[in-house]
Amino acid sequence: MPFGLKLRRTRRYNVLSKNCFVTRIRLLDSNVIECTLSVESTGQECLEAVAQRLELRETHYFGLWFLSKSQQARWVELEKPLKKHLDKFANEPLLFFGVMFYVPNVSWLQQEATRYQYYLQVKKDVLEGRLRCTLEQVIRLAGLAVQADFGDYNQFDSQDFLREYVLFPMDLALEEAVLEELTQKVAQEHKAHSGILPAEAELMYINEVERLDGFGQEIFPVKDNHGNSVHLGIFFMGIFVSNRIGRQAVIYR
């Protein structure tokens, strides 16, 4: 797919001709790329163009999603023409690349590039508060993330850079003194991981996250046949149903 072309901008899309359009895709590292497609191109073709840019071969774990007109996250139906799909359902033609199918164990992932994107996704799940963590788990994960993203502790004259780095889940409300104390604990955790290669630290991070409650689950609020509110979830073991009171979930493998 061609990239970096000079484009004319319209209200909704950058347009090269009546038969082509350019859509933006936000990657898991927060960078945004543009993909030039024909108006008949499917979501799968767009996903493959993104995978080519990222040098990904194991594309079957990943998907593209967008925000609907009601601001709900919705997966792209990959077999359908993408432009028609976005015109009909999307709030704007901005796509998000991410993991669609989680695995029970990271050892299933064969390619290093796949494991790196998977690491970015699970780290995002933690930092955006989608997974519940204790403070001890938060500190341990943050220390591994710093090792994976920045390398060894002794490369830095001080650990002041940690104050500019997102270490803790966004829903964790911390007073300044507590935040400073936890940041120092993360620095010590980082020091303890000196000598571990970034790729190894990423695997250790993923292994920690795999043990967290809710890992790999996508949950939807629905009504049962009596009109009661329940949660319908999907994950790598199958489908599960739970109510809001917290009874044991019923799993359909």
Side-chain angles (χ1 to χ4, degrees):
M1 296 291 174
F3 291 92
L5 300 174
K6 196 168 182 179
L7 309 170
R8 291 189 289 113
R9 185 175 293 278
T10 66
R11 182 175 65 86
R12 290 206 55 181
Y13 294 97
N14 289 326
V15 176
L16 290 166
S17 73
K18 285 189 289 187
N19 297 320
C20 295
F21 76 104
V22 175
T23 191
R24 293 172 297 138
I25 303 102
R26 186 176 298 279
L27 304 177
L28 287 166
D29 62 4
S30 296
N31 285 320
V32 176
I33 62 172
E34 292 187 338
C35 183
T36 305
L37 300 162
S38 81
V39 294
E40 300 301 323
S41 293
T42 62
Q44 183 65 38
E45 290 175 79
C46 184
L47 178 61
E48 288 171 359
V50 174
Q52 185 176 24
R53 178 75 69 94
L54 297 174
E55 299 183 341
L56 270 178
R57 295 191 303 273
E58 296 175 285
T59 57
H60 44 280
Y61 296 114
F62 300 92
L64 300 167
W65 60 275
F66 58 88
L67 288 175
S68 70
K69 291 178 170 63
S70 59
Q71 295 299 302
Q72 299 296 310
R74 177 171 178 158
W75 289 104
V76 169
E77 296 177 45
L78 295 175
E79 74 282 0
K80 293 187 176 180
L82 180 62
K83 187 175 185 301
K84 289 181 182 177
H85 198 54
L86 294 179
D87 283 344
K88 185 173 182 180
F89 298 111
N91 185 53
E92 61 172 324
L94 173 65
L95 295 170
F96 298 84
F97 172 79
V99 172
M100 192 174 191
F101 299 107
Y102 291 80
V103 292
N105 190 290
V106 67
S107 62
W108 287 32
L109 308 179
Q110 301 300 308
Q111 190 190 8
E112 186 173 339
T114 309
R115 292 192 293 270
Y116 176 64
Q117 294 299 322
Y118 198 81
Y119 159 72
L120 292 177
Q121 178 69 72
V122 299
K123 184 172 71 166
K124 191 178 180 70
D125 292 344
V126 169
L127 295 178
E128 293 184 354
R130 288 195 287 272
L131 297 172
R132 291 185 290 280
C133 309
T134 65
L135 274 181
E136 290 76 15
Q137 288 169 327
V138 165
I139 292 165
R140 193 157 58 245
L141 287 169
L144 285 168
V146 176
Q147 182 67 22
D149 297 346
F150 295 100
D152 284 348
Y153 178 92
N154 58 14
Q155 293 184 87
F156 302 93
D157 295 329
S158 77
Q159 299 301 297
D160 289 345
F161 76 96
L162 292 179
R163 296 185 178 89
E164 306 300 319
Y165 182 66
V166 179
L167 296 170
F168 308 116
M170 61 174 57
D171 60 350
L172 198 62
L174 299 170
E175 295 180 0
E176 194 66 34
V178 177
L179 181 62
E180 182 62 28
E181 180 186 350
L182 292 181
T183 301
Q184 291 306 313
K185 288 183 177 180
V186 170
Q188 290 307 306
E189 188 77 19
H190 177 209
K191 186 177 182 179
H193 295 310
S194 291
I196 296 175
L197 295 174
E200 187 179 350
E202 290 164 12
L203 283 177
M204 292 170 68
Y205 188 101
I206 295 169
N207 286 330
E208 287 280 343
V209 175
E210 285 174 347
R211 293 193 282 269
L212 296 179
D213 186 30
F215 168 71
Q217 297 178 1
E218 188 170 3
I219 298 173
F220 306 89
V222 297
K223 300 282 188 182
D224 66 13
N225 56 342
H226 300 295
N228 299 315
S229 294
V230 297
H231 287 143
L232 177 68
I234 56 172
F235 69 136
F236 45 76
M237 296 293 288
I239 298 171
F240 66 91
V241 180
S242 64
N243 62 22
R244 296 179 188 275
I245 303 170
R247 291 180 188 167
Q248 185 72 29
V250 179
I251 299 174
Y252 301 91
R253 296 183 183 275

